[in-house]
Amino acid sequence: MTRLPATRATVRASLLAVAFGGGVSWGAVAGGPWLLALALLALALGSTVLALACNTQLRRPLLVGSLMVAAVAGGLLRGVSSASPNVLSSAAGSDRGPVVIQGTVREAPARHHSESLVVVDVDVLTDAAGTSRPHIAVIAAVPGPVVALPGDHVRVDASGLRPPSVRPGPESAATLDREGVAAVAVSPRVTVTASGAASLNRWIAQVRGRLSAAAAQALPEPAATLVDEFALGVRGTLPTDVSTPLQDAGLIHLVATSGLKVALLIALLLRVLAVVAAPPRLRVTVVLLVTAAYVAVSGAGPAAMRAAIMAAVALMVGPSGRRTQPLALLTVVGALMLAVSPRLCLDVGFQLSFLGTTGILLLADPICRHLPGPRLVAEPIGVTVAAQLATFPVMASAFGVVSLVGPLANGLAVPALPVLLGLGWCGALLAQLNPLLGWLPLQLARLIAGLILGIARATSAVPLAAIHVGVWPHAWLVAEMSALLAAAAALVVFKRWGGSPPAPLAGPDGWAAPSMGAGRAGVVIAAVLSAAMVAGAVLVASGRPDGRLHLSVLSVGAAPAVLVTTPEGGLVLVDGGSDPQRLAQAVGSTLAPTVRTIDVLIITGGERGAVAGVAGLQPHYGVSHVVAPDTDLSSGAATLLGGLRAAGADLATAASPWSWGGLAWRFVCAGPGTTSQGSAVPACAVQLAGAGGSALLLGDVASAEQEELAGLFGESLAADLVVAPPGGALAPALVDATRPHHVAVPSARAVRAAASLGAVALRSTGADGTLDYVGSGGGLVAA
């Protein structure tokens, strides 16, 4: 691999593309810096005027700076224009109980585990408030298969609509936002009312279905899905015993239509066309058409689109004798894709594709040169190491798994991928003529897919094959990216103004490598110090209070655990679930990395399943104070209190309301209930209220005790948010007394809204992970 020297024009184009893309991403995420964009445009105009009035020596850098500032401003304006208001909250029927939707299927249903995911563009929406025509799309997850094609008219009956999940996957907020989907139908039933007209999208869906059917007819599961995913690019669902080894081995990217597959397909086509001595122009035409068809059939994901565009430019420029600079082309393509769809910056596939490709372009060549062994194995290993180094923060943040055996697994598996692509496509296409013709290639493809799976299982079985980091805190991701930018800026500044560079050494291919003398050491030290200072500043800033009430219902399974950040910055943990490891991961992914103390732990006196997880806080977090109700406690809670007291925590009991952290708190207790251990203890909940809103945290209070609470305390239980007991059972009398706007349910899986909730917005940790709420002038709202 030889890197082309970058000309001034390509460097400037890259810088402008990065500036524009950064501005688009900033505007799309922030959603409203109009004044900043206009101020930058004014600054760019002023710099341009100044440049024209200056001498020739200063004119060029001033003009380049003006273009950079203008590119950032233009990107901001484009990003802001895409940050549309939350159409779900304003659409008729959202959070208002049962809805009936009449609409059009946007794309063919995708299989996800045991469900079919159907995206419907809404024509008419009917709910308790009446009939409306909101311009939104809704995704429905229907158990079992759904026979529907793009353009079909359908009726969707659902018990309500909810916001998209924050977890990665086909129902994640980033994925659905990019596709323009505003809501997820709850407990939907989809009925096709009329077939759609012929269209390109419909024809592509039919082709995809026929190719997948050919593999399903010739192969058993999970081999059929593996061939679909590896070779054909048709999305399916793999069982856990297949997907987990692939993920731990760093081979899960093979199931996606990645840029790697597009590159391998193009290389395979060029080699075949060279063997048959096809003319150069015919080669380019055939490769472009086949690549476009492959990308379309496989779903046209961001990674495949990026690779296809870059390959198309390189192929069209090639016959003229000119060569492209890959890094510059990558930045320009990324900026163009963001200009067309700014919300792509939130898509994990887009992030991984561009970061991974950048890492490969910058790092793969030097890494591969220093690896021993045959190039067939060394190059995949070097490319994987380069891609992993660049994508590490995103992989950790999105999937919580970092594979340490990925380079070895990819070095063994990737050489077999071109063979699998060729066999899979040949078998699927020949099967359209006659199933017998495609049988043998598909069986061979099955063997290759099984070999890759075997490599994944063998390498993932190695001790410490993968690091499972839970959920990588967003503050860590921001700090790491800020540190990298600071280090890069320090290197540029030192090179530009730090004096003469050190003498170069000749590399093995003639390229100049700076010697590691005192000058180089100073550059490295300056970059490291800059990165450390910026990362530390970001982490400290992320831990500072913002003056608002924050409440997080932690995802620790079917058990209660709620983390409250008071307006003054105090931290309160109410109960802790039953799993110490899950509590530690959930708390760590919610708090800033610099926070190491829980100010107050409140236990409701319930079963051991509500408090046993607190043991997971040590040694990660200290507990300063513990508050318990002034009643008899369960044996598990009593044991926990003894251990915390021995560790230095102050213990207090509360028989009346108290104030702390700018909030008013109180226990509300019913009569004794019977725990799973057979003892009778009072059932207590925690109520909190302040300027930002109010909440009632029910712990594990059962329905019978909820009825008693409603009778004892009545409307004084009113709250913006009710955190239900695990599973979500709520007594109608309690719902009437509290009149909540939101209900959060700690659960192991998604739950359905009860009829008694009416228009209340219900979310569950089983569907959405940790549930975040923030105080506002109108009370607690979903974050």
Side-chain angles (χ1 to χ4, degrees), residues 157-220:
D157 296 272
S159 61
L161 300 178
R162 66 170 176 83
S165 168
V166 297
R167 290 181 171 180
E171 289 188 34
S172 70
T175 301
L176 297 186
D177 182 76
R178 177 172 62 86
E179 297 177 355
V181 177
V184 178
V186 180
S187 303
R189 186 174 69 254
V190 177
T191 305
V192 177
T193 57
S195 298
S199 65
L200 178 62
N201 197 18
R202 188 180 181 89
W203 180 79
I204 291 175
Q206 290 173 329
V207 170
R208 187 185 300 126
R210 295 187 65 175
L211 292 174
S212 181
Q217 184 178 359
L219 304 174

Side-chain angles (χ1 to χ4, degrees), residues 465-567:
I467 299 176
H468 294 259
V469 295
V471 180
W472 193 266
H474 292 296
W476 292 19
L477 177 60
V478 174
E480 184 169 2
M481 300 305 292
S482 301
L484 291 176
L485 290 175
L491 292 174
V492 171
V493 170
F494 189 91
K495 182 178 180 181
R496 179 67 178 83
W497 287 288
S500 58
L505 297 174
D509 295 332
W511 55 274
S515 61
M516 191 61 183
R520 179 80 179 264
V523 172
V524 173
I525 293 174
V528 171
L529 289 177
S530 300
M533 287 175 17
V534 170
V538 170
L539 292 178
V540 171
S542 67
R544 294 180 61 85
D546 59 3
R548 295 195 295 173
L549 169 64
H550 294 265
L551 189 148
S552 299
V553 183
L554 302 179
S555 178
V556 294
V562 180
L563 188 65
V564 180
T565 304
T566 70

Side-chain angles (χ1 to χ4, degrees), residues 107-113 115-119 140 142 144 170 235-237:
E107 55 190 40
R111 296 292 296 170
H112 181 60
H113 298 297
E115 298 176 324
S116 297
L117 304 180
V118 188
V119 177
V142 183
R235 191 171 68 185
T237 299

Side-chain angles (χ1 to χ4, degrees), residues 444-473:
L444 295 176
R446 172 190 176 184
L447 294 177
I448 302 297
L451 173 64
I452 294 176
L453 179 59
I455 292 172
R457 285 174 170 163
T459 52
S460 64
V462 175
L464 298 179
I467 299 176
H468 294 259
V469 295
V471 180
W472 193 266

Side-chain angles (χ1 to χ4, degrees), residues 569-650:
L571 290 176
V572 181
L573 177 63
V574 182
D575 291 329
S578 59
D579 189 329
Q581 183 177 7
R582 296 190 67 172
L583 178 66
Q585 290 179 350
V587 171
S589 61
T590 303
L591 297 180
T594 53
V595 177
R596 283 293 175 262
T597 301
I598 304 294
D599 296 305
V600 180
L601 170 66
I602 298 177
I603 61 173
T604 58
E607 295 193 48
R608 182 176 177 82
V611 295
V614 173
L617 294 178
Q618 297 177 334
H620 309 289
Y621 301 92
V623 177
S624 300
H625 305 278
V626 181
V627 178
D630 188 16
T631 61
D632 295 332
L633 300 176
S634 68
S635 59
T639 302
L640 171 68
L641 291 181
L644 291 172
R645 178 183 290 171
D650 294 329

Side-chain angles (χ1 to χ4, degrees), residues 396-435:
S397 175
F399 304 109
V401 177
V402 178
S403 176
L404 300 182
V405 297
L408 174 61
N410 279 271
L412 297 174
V414 169
L417 191 57
V419 181
L420 178 56
L421 281 171
L423 290 172
W425 275 97
C426 286
L429 292 175
L430 289 174
Q432 306 307 310
L433 302 176
N434 190 305

